[in-house]
Amino acid sequence: MEGNKNAPRMGGATSPGLANAQTTTLFRVLNFELFAKADPRVMGLGIFAMLGIGGSLGYQLYQDRQANNKVKEALAQASEETVVEIPKHLRRNGWN
């Protein structure tokens, strides 16, 4: 057993998991995150980017709601000012 270099060693010399498993190159390319070590700088940039995107979407939603409120207020004010009475002989149904 001492001569076999591919045999797993005990005592923490090799890390357990997929890093030591025999896999194809295609599997390693398609599942890169299983074999790459975590990089805190890249993770930090990713978190910063996700927070920026979320903040931007939240701000756009806030601006859209503010604009909709202004439009609704303007329509309500305009409808209060102009009341059009349809003469009875021009009404086609009971809903007018």
Side-chain angles (χ1 to χ4, degrees):
M1 181 113 175
E2 292 176 13
N4 190 356
K5 294 180 181 179
N6 294 333
R9 297 180 214 151
M10 301 305 267
T14 60
S15 62
L18 290 176
N20 292 331
Q22 291 183 350
T23 58
T24 63
T25 304
L26 179 65
F27 183 81
R28 286 183 182 254
V29 168
L30 292 177
N31 299 298
F32 175 73
E33 65 276 359
L34 296 175
F35 299 98
K37 293 182 180 178
D39 187 3
R41 291 178 289 170
V42 173
M43 288 189 292
L45 288 173
I47 291 171
F48 182 72
M50 295 298 278
L51 288 175
I53 291 168
S56 174
L57 291 174
Y59 180 71
Q60 289 176 9
L61 180 62
Y62 171 76
Q63 291 295 325
D64 187 49
R65 286 186 179 172
Q66 292 296 325
N68 283 340
N69 287 341
K70 289 179 183 177
V71 168
K72 287 178 184 177
E73 290 173 4
L75 288 175
Q77 187 178 17
S79 67
E80 289 174 1
E81 294 173 357
T82 57
V83 176
V84 177
E85 185 65 34
I86 300 174
K88 199 166 196 171
H89 68 280
L90 294 177
R91 294 183 191 172
R92 294 186 180 163
N93 56 32
W95 297 103
N96 288 351

